[in-house]
Amino acid sequence: MDERQLRVLRELGELGSVTAVAEAMRVTPSAISQQLRLLQRSIPVPLTERDGRRLVLTAAGQALADAAIGVETALARARHTIDEFVDEPDGAVSVAAFHSGAAAFFPLLLRRLQGPGSPRLSLHDEDVAQDDFPRLTRHYDLVIAHRLDHAPAWPRTATATALLREPLDVALPADHPLAAKPRLTPRDVAGLPWITVHDGFPLLATIEAVSAAAGQRLDIAHRINEMSVVAEVVAAGGGVALMPRWTARPHPAVVLRPLDGVHARRHVDVLHRPERVARRAVQTVLTALSSAAEAVRSRGGDAEAQGAGAEDR
């Protein structure tokens, strides 16, 4: 049985005829009769009987019709609860992000959503391989993810909202001889030791592109995913690395230089399941993330002043 069938039974008990029920529910009498037949299939005793030309409820039918009042009341309460949940401005919203994305966006979100009635944020860091970001949307309302510019688009199972299309620059010690150059080529850096991410993570394909453009295999000295640690290792002379221009935290002993001859750029997107943004609180956080992206992008001017120059074409 379902809600509509129970309502038909209840209306029949109150209005006294199939025709009257059909008029009240704005359907045909045959549609009402079909709903009654479907309901009867799930009940072991007769619910209706003939009284002359009229179809009336049996004692069992009347008992079920009375119970239908409670069912409709409970469903109405449930719908009201859902409506309140969906429209709740200060509802809980879970946000996950890769490490450098979390460092860039989480503080901005917290500052923007501090006032009364703001969503209650639950923040999580998730350092996963590129292909695993869409799966995180099962567990979090919003997932800040990144992929290389030339990588396949996110699967249709997740909706993507673009935040940044971020250049990837070469990070090297501020006192390195190459720091004097405004731009670098793959040949400039191919002979240096490199720090890069683990297999399967974004950025690695760009490292391979640098190797291909230089015509020689790069010396991968260190495998480190956390960008703040990478910056420390670069500053200490442990090698050079590819680092995002805007989301990586600036280091006083590290400079960023654009890399010519390689398509070095990544997408930073928010992934979510479509039904999640039906909630007002989630929409508020998504809007705040888009606003925060503008702040992150403008904050990258410091790196450009050090010699990063205009964005790669």
Side-chain angles (χ1 to χ4, degrees), residues 99-119:
H99 288 159
S100 61
F105 284 97
F106 285 179
L108 294 173
L109 272 185
L110 289 168
R111 295 186 186 107
R112 280 168 164 76
L113 300 173
Q114 283 183 338
S118 294

Side-chain angles (χ1 to χ4, degrees), residues 111-264:
R111 295 186 186 107
R112 280 168 164 76
L113 300 173
Q114 283 183 338
S118 294
R120 290 174 283 114
L121 294 174
S122 175
L123 305 177
H124 307 261
D125 65 325
E126 288 283 359
D127 187 30
V128 299
Q130 182 171 306
D131 292 343
D132 291 333
F133 279 112
R135 298 187 185 97
L136 294 177
T137 60
R138 296 191 186 110
H139 309 294
Y140 303 104
D141 293 312
L142 300 171
V143 176
I144 302 174
H146 60 141
R147 65 177 179 86
L148 293 178
D149 204 8
H150 57 273
W154 301 112
R156 294 182 180 179
T157 54
T159 300
T161 300
L163 292 179
L164 297 170
R165 194 159 171 253
E166 182 177 31
L168 303 172
D169 297 325
V170 176
L172 63 164
D175 58 358
H176 195 283
L178 288 176
K181 299 186 67 171
R183 305 183 73 86
L184 301 175
T185 68
R187 288 189 178 276
D188 289 332
V189 295
L192 302 174
W194 276 81
I195 309 155
T196 190
V197 294
H198 294 276
D199 290 340
F201 286 79
L203 304 189
L204 189 61
T206 303
I207 295 292
E208 294 168 352
V210 173
S211 175
Q216 69 180 81
R217 192 176 188 85
L218 300 186
D219 173 21
I220 306 299
H222 310 288
R223 297 273 190 167
I224 304 170
N225 280 13
E226 173 52 60
M227 287 297 169
S228 61
V229 179
V230 171
E232 293 293 344
V233 176
V234 170
V240 299
L242 277 181
M243 294 190 72
R245 183 177 298 175
W246 300 322
T247 55
R249 189 181 300 277
H251 191 290
V254 173
V255 296
L256 301 180
R257 295 293 178 261
L259 184 64
D260 289 333
V262 173
H263 196 66

